[in-house]
Structure formats: structure tokens, C-alpha cells
Amino acid sequence: MSTKILIIGACGQIGTELTFKLRAIYGTENVIASDIRKMNNEVVNSGPFEVVNALDFNQIEHLVEVHQITDVYLMAALLSATAEKNPAFAWDLNMNSLFHVLNLAKAKKIKKIFWPSSIAVFGPTTPKENTPQYTIMEPSTVYGISKQSGERWCEYYYHIFGVDVRSIRYPGLISWSTAPGGGTTDYAVDIFHKALSQGKYECFLSAETRMPMMYMDDAIEATIRIMQAEKEQIKIRSSYNLAAMSFTPNEIAAEIKKHLPEFEITFKPDFRQQIADSWPASIDDTESRKDWGWEHQFDLVKMTTSMLENLKNNPSFI
């Protein structure tokens, strides 16, 4: 049976680029993009698209049956900073959308699930440097609580029902082609936009706040690689640590200044500082590298060059 993919949340920060990459690999007609509304954008216009509410089991089940879906990528979620403003809805969306696809797989209606977790599963009591795969997890945000709970359910459905669900804990993700989506690490996207459009940036985190980050190209590569891995290679069914680089707002600003010497950064920490302080500064992703061959391509220098070049060549994104 050929691979037929449904992406739920295809118009979001990760879903957009994931859709294009999967269509390039599997063929446009074999990758069904979906989101809660139909927008006039490239994801919607470049191939099959369906409107679906991730909280509506019947809608998802209908799409799975009509399109004979084998793999579901569940990318719909309310991110960290946004979720803090609407905790009840964040819990509902982040948890029940996961139950819907897990239960479809339990009923043998789909073969394989990708569900993203996050470094938000860690908390202030977690070791901050080289955070290990197995460690104390006491998340202090709604987003983190929902992701940690989701990890436990993924592992449960694998062990009890044999559901082939795969997951990675994304660090902060940086992309030139999608706008910041309400995450605590999104300063590292916005800073490039403001550097080019205004020549200055007011950062909502303090100068020395170090967090794990990843360029979107690497995140998409990791997502597809873990889904293409043989089932026996996936030893961890909660979620894998994933890493590429860690830096502070001061360090990324210094790298930008190498390209834009006039650029200025100021600091005005807000409620997101407390969230950032509860997260790791760096991640140990040995298990991902060992089990399914993960390796990142972008460091801070390479990423900064790519971000600025792409934004300059695509001014409509700024």
C-alpha cells in the first residue's frame, strides 16, 4: 500500500514547510494538507487541501477514510506563550486532537503517527545543561503540561495497543518563511525581520537567556527521518530529545551585526522570561543520533546567513 499522508495543522509554522517537503518526496496528490480554515496561501493552493477541526473526531475519521490515509502528522497545537493566555482551550486542543489520531490508529484506520513534543516538557527542576533524555520533568506551563501528558499517552498507546507513534522534542524553531507563532523562542525569528525592516529590535527576553534552537530545515529533516526509519529503530515511544545549537539573544544579535553593522538590540523582558527560565539551556540528543541517525546541518553562523539571505530575497515575508 502506498503512503498517503494527512497533515493536520498544515498552515502553521512547521506544517507549512513540512507540507512542501513531503509533497516533493511522496507526490503532491499523496499529501493532504488540512487546517481549521482555508486561507489564500501556497499550502492551500499548491495541492489537495481540506478544512478540518482537529477537535472533531468525525471530521478526521472521514478524511482518513476518503483519502485512504496511512500516515498522520498532527501539527495542530497552541504554543507556549499563546497557551498561557487561554489554558483551558490549549489543554483541550493539544490533548484531544492527539487522542483522536491515537484512537484512529488503535482502530487500525491509520498505520503511523507523528506527534511533536517540545523542550517545554522540562521545567525549573530539570538539569539545564545537556538535559538528558530521561530526567526530572516538572513543566510549569500549560503547553509543557500538555506535551508531557501527550508523551505519556503516546508511550501507553504503543505498549498497550501497538500504535506506531513517533515523536521528537523540538527546541526553538527558526524559519524565514513563516511568521512567529506565539512561542517563547520566537524572538529568534522576529529579530531577523526587525533587523531588516527597522534596524533594531526590542527583545522580550534578557540578554543572556540561553535556549536550545534549531533551523527549520533541520527540524523538517528530523521529522521526516524519524517517520521513514524502520519501526525497530524507534526505541523511545514517548519522545526523543533533539538538538542543534544553543545561543543567547546577545549572541544572535552579535552574529546579525556581522552582516548589518548598524543593527541595535535592546531588552525588555516580559512574562515570557519566566517561561524561558524554566527551560533547558542545552539538550543531549545522543539517543536520536544513535537510534535513527539524526545529525544537524545548521549552526548559528550558517543559520544567520541563510535567514538574512532568504528574507532579503523574499521581502514580502518581512
Side-chain angles (χ1 to χ4, degrees), residues 174-193:
I174 300 167
S175 167
W176 61 269
S177 67
T178 48
T184 302
T185 56
D186 276 353
Y187 88 86
V189 179
D190 201 27
I191 193 170
F192 288 103
H193 291 253

Side-chain angles (χ1 to χ4, degrees), residues 40 51 85 92 99 103 149 193 234-236 242 246 254 296 311:
N40 184 23
V51 173
K85 297 173 183 174
D92 191 21
F99 277 128
N103 285 327
S149 302
H193 291 253
I234 309 303
K235 308 280 199 284
I236 294 169
L242 197 72
S246 289
H296 69 283
L311 286 172

Side-chain angles (χ1 to χ4, degrees), residues 218 221-222 224-226 228-230 233-235 240-243 285-297:
D218 276 339
E221 173 64 27
I224 293 170
R225 182 174 291 198
I226 194 173
Q228 289 180 336
E230 295 298 324
Q233 291 178 263
I234 309 303
K235 308 280 199 284
Y240 276 94
N241 275 3
L242 197 72
D285 64 353
T286 304
E287 303 301 321
S288 292
R289 294 175 190 269
K290 176 167 60 77
D291 288 357
W292 44 276
W294 164 242
E295 50 186 340
H296 69 283
Q297 301 298 318

Side-chain angles (χ1 to χ4, degrees), residues 38-58:
K38 190 169 188 174
M39 294 178 277
N40 184 23
N41 63 23
E42 209 176 339
V43 170
V44 173
N45 299 328
S46 66
F49 181 86
E50 299 274 7
V51 173
V52 67
N53 182 347
L55 288 172
D56 190 324
F57 177 83
N58 293 329

Side-chain angles (χ1 to χ4, degrees), residues 251-267:
E251 288 168 350
I252 193 173
E255 201 57 44
I256 290 171
K257 286 181 87 137
K258 292 177 184 176
H259 300 262
L260 304 168
E262 305 301 311
F263 173 67
E264 293 178 4
I265 186 169
T266 54
F267 301 94

